[in-house]
Amino acid sequence: MKLYAILLSILFLAGCAQETAIREQNKKPNVVIIFADDLGYGDLSIYGHPTIKTPNLDKLATEGQKWTNFYASSSICTPSRTGLLTGRLPIRSGMCSNERGVLFPDSKGGIPEYEILISELLKEQGYKTACVGKWHLGHLPQYLPTSNGFDSYYGIPYSNDMDRIDGAGFNETGPHPEVKYFNVPLMKNEEIIERPANQHTIVSRYTDESIKFIKENKDEPFFLYLAHSLPHVPLFASEKFEGTSKRGLYGDVVEEIDWSVGKIISALKENGLDKNTLVVFTSDNGPWLHFNEAGGSAGLLREGKGTSYEGGMREPGIFWWPEKVKPSVITDMGSTLDLFPTICKITGMDVPMDRIYDGVDISQVLFEEKPTQRDEIFYYDNEELFAIRKGKWKIHYATRENAYSKEVKIVKHDPPLLYNLEVDPSEKYNLAADNAELIEKFSHIKDAHLSSVEPVEDQLVLR
């Protein structure tokens, strides 16, 4: 009888283990997107920075995929975030403007109700959803994350340099910040819980909130969108990190974000979720070069934030999913626009068929290392199409000089500028003079694309 009882116990435990394994196998994958703010292509050690140490991101990149031609959907904040969450160029929803490129604390508009966010689709599929960090798609109640498919929100509603107090000049408060200069609110769901937000502790608090969400939802599929509000100027680091990087305060901030990434990954592992979670790390646009050493670096790429040069939109792109994502360096093109259809594919959802999408599914690159289907990038400057990449070639019809500053100078090019990005990623050598036929081909690509963009009467600046 004793032996019989032991055998029954063994069979019971084996059955439970098998049931658990089947349940885990059938569970939908979790998705974590970590989105930095104004991080440059050259700001991580895995992407070539000589003094900023990013061991956690370096490990993710070596265990997963490091993409070298990965693009944001815009070179400034609000439109870039629109592109990531909708899979559509921001020109299609009016979330861009020639007069006012991003939303401000006095803006009356935000993400249109008719736009479908990936958070909304996932929530319909039973996912738990959380937005932590910078939102910047509208601060009024109808535009907040909790009105756009997120179960919870913890963060600041727009950029960390906004709500400057009277008398605090733009150029002075950026490089030499104090918390009191920026009356930025910290929100939990729809309520302001702190004002001004203590930005010295903002990275650690975003991290704590993210880990809490992971632990509370470990038994259900979840989507975590962690959008750091740094290293956007003004720069703030915690006491633990301030003064520790050879790169100065900017390096302190990036290394604290790297620490945060490490904590998120540890939480996934400790809760047995790492092998069922896709983690993506990238940034909304390039470095804010106007602030000199207080801004980041685009590495070998030209210019930075607010421009259609490579430094404005080409970003670090890291994908990690143990035993799923094939470790490698990917030199094919990818975009934050591609996250929408890719997440739909891996979670078993269909991309809505009632509108034009600009993203492509890159799951075959992640899991099988097959070539991507993306062959084009469109570089918008607010409402205007400034440049196009097709394969290795990039053409500029106009450029914005002097980085992202009030002393901006827009230059129209006729004939346009032409670069071979595989040979010349720094965009130094204009090859237009010897490629008239190629320039003509680009004109057809441009016309075909613009014909697909219906004008939006209610532009962001008017709302």
Side-chain angles (χ1 to χ4, degrees):
M1 289 294 293
K2 193 172 185 180
L3 179 61
Y4 180 70
I6 292 171
L7 287 172
L8 282 177
S9 297
I10 292 172
L11 289 171
F12 175 76
L13 291 172
C16 289
Q18 185 179 20
E19 184 181 342
T20 300
I22 292 171
R23 188 167 61 248
E24 287 300 313
Q25 187 176 2
N26 293 333
K27 183 184 175 185
K28 292 182 178 182
N30 309 306
V31 179
V32 176
I33 296 176
I34 304 175
F35 206 39
D37 194 350
D38 287 10
L39 184 79
Y41 184 84
D43 281 334
L44 307 181
S45 51
I46 192 70
Y47 280 84
H49 201 285
T51 54
I52 296 178
K53 297 178 181 179
T54 52
N56 295 296
L57 284 164
D58 296 356
K59 188 176 182 183
L60 283 196
T62 53
E63 291 179 352
Q65 286 184 359
K66 170 190 171 184
W67 288 54
T68 61
N69 285 270
F70 195 76
Y71 291 86
S73 59
S74 173
S75 65
I76 53 176
C77 298
T78 293
S80 179
R81 290 155 202 277
T82 301
L84 182 147
L85 291 171
T86 65
R88 287 156 45 86
L89 286 165
I91 190 69
R92 299 194 189 280
S93 58
M95 290 293 281
C96 56
S97 168
N98 288 340
E99 297 179 49
R100 209 177 197 196
V102 301
L103 288 161
F104 285 85
D106 62 349
S107 296
K108 294 180 173 57
I111 187 76
E113 185 178 359
Y114 60 76
E115 284 298 317
I116 300 172
L117 279 65
I118 190 63
S119 49
E120 294 175 302
L121 291 183
L122 289 170
K123 186 173 181 178
E124 289 175 1
Q125 294 298 311
Y127 273 70
K128 296 297 182 181
T129 56
C131 175
V132 177
K134 175 180 170 179
W135 178 237
H136 216 177
L137 296 182
H139 68 281
L140 299 178
Q142 65 268 36
Y143 304 122
L144 287 172
T146 48
S147 297
N148 286 280
F150 288 101
D151 295 319
S152 62
Y153 174 52
Y154 181 93
I156 65 173
Y158 33 74
S159 290
N160 72 329
D161 66 329
M162 294 181 175
D163 278 331
R164 284 191 307 279
I165 63 171
D166 291 342
F170 179 77
N171 289 323
E172 294 75 26
T173 56
H176 307 289
E178 292 185 33
V179 168
K180 66 181 182 181
Y181 293 157
F182 307 94
N183 197 33
V184 179
L186 178 67
M187 302 187 72
K188 188 172 181 63
N189 299 323
E190 299 86 26
E191 301 296 325
I192 295 174
I193 60 173
E194 181 179 290
R195 193 166 197 171
N198 182 355
Q199 297 194 52
H200 285 291
T201 59
I202 203 92
V203 171
S204 61
R205 287 192 283 173
Y206 288 167
T207 306
D208 290 343
E209 195 72 19
S210 298
I211 292 172
K212 178 183 175 185
F213 172 77
I214 289 170
K215 290 180 177 178
E216 290 178 348
N217 296 284
K218 63 182 179 180
D219 295 324
E220 301 178 72
F222 60 77
F223 170 49
L224 171 63
Y225 173 50
L226 169 54
H228 284 288
S229 43
L230 294 165
H232 191 291
V233 175
L235 301 172
F236 293 92
S238 69
E239 185 177 348
K240 178 180 177 181
F241 284 89
E242 191 167 359
T244 61
S245 173
K246 291 182 179 179
R247 172 57 177 84
L249 182 55
Y250 186 89
D252 298 338
V253 172
V254 174
E255 291 182 10
E256 186 163 12
I257 290 172
D258 179 77
W259 163 85
S260 171
V261 171
K263 297 292 285 185
I264 300 294
I265 298 301
S266 293
L268 293 173
K269 290 180 178 179
E270 289 166 6
N271 288 278
L273 301 170
D274 52 315
K275 293 181 181 178
N276 194 43
T277 304
L278 171 65
V279 178
V280 183
F281 178 89
T282 188
S283 181
D284 64 340
N285 49 249
W288 201 346
L289 301 179
H290 172 73
F291 287 104
N292 301 319
E293 66 179 30
S297 168
L300 82 170
L301 305 180
R302 185 170 177 178
E303 274 287 355
K305 177 178 181 173
T307 77
S308 57
Y309 287 112
E310 289 297 283
M313 285 174 52
R314 199 192 295 200
E315 291 298 323
I318 298 172
F319 293 80
W320 181 84
W321 186 352
E323 300 180 11
K324 290 283 189 178
V325 169
K326 301 290 186 183
S328 54
V329 175
I330 303 298
T331 58
D332 288 353
M333 278 186 277
S335 169
T336 53
L337 295 166
D338 302 337
L339 297 180
F340 188 105
T342 303
I343 293 170
C344 284
K345 178 65 178 291
I346 69 173
T347 58
M349 298 188 297
D350 293 325
V351 174
M353 301 296 290
D354 63 340
R355 63 199 65 203
I356 295 173
Y357 282 91
D358 300 289
V360 300
D361 173 19
I362 58 172
S363 60
Q364 75 279 6
V365 188
L366 299 177
F367 308 139
E368 304 172 49
E369 291 186 272
K370 291 183 178 179
T372 180
Q373 300 303 305
R374 174 171 290 285
D375 192 42
E376 296 175 338
I377 297 288
F378 295 97
Y379 304 72
Y380 273 84
D381 185 285
N382 297 319
E383 299 172 59
E384 305 298 324
L385 182 62
F386 268 29
I388 303 170
R389 178 175 180 178
K390 174 75 172 177
K392 65 183 180 181
W393 296 100
K394 180 178 178 183
I395 195 165
H396 285 272
Y397 297 101
T399 53
R400 182 185 289 263
E401 309 297 330
N402 298 329
Y404 190 53
S405 69
K406 294 181 179 180
E407 296 79 36
V408 67
K409 180 182 180 185
I410 294 177
V411 180
K412 303 285 187 178
H413 299 286
D414 186 17
L417 309 177
L418 184 70
Y419 299 104
N420 179 345
L421 292 181
E422 290 185 356
V423 174
D424 177 26
S426 302
E427 297 173 280
K428 291 180 178 178
Y429 312 114
N430 180 16
L431 304 178
D434 299 323
N435 289 281
E437 186 176 337
L438 185 57
I439 290 174
E440 179 64 22
K441 288 181 180 178
F442 265 104
S443 69
H444 297 304
I445 296 170
K446 178 183 179 183
D447 291 343
H449 170 71
L450 291 177
S451 69
S452 77
V453 178
E454 297 181 1
V456 179
E457 294 182 5
D458 191 21
Q459 287 299 121
L460 175 151
V461 70
L462 302 178
R463 298 200 301 274

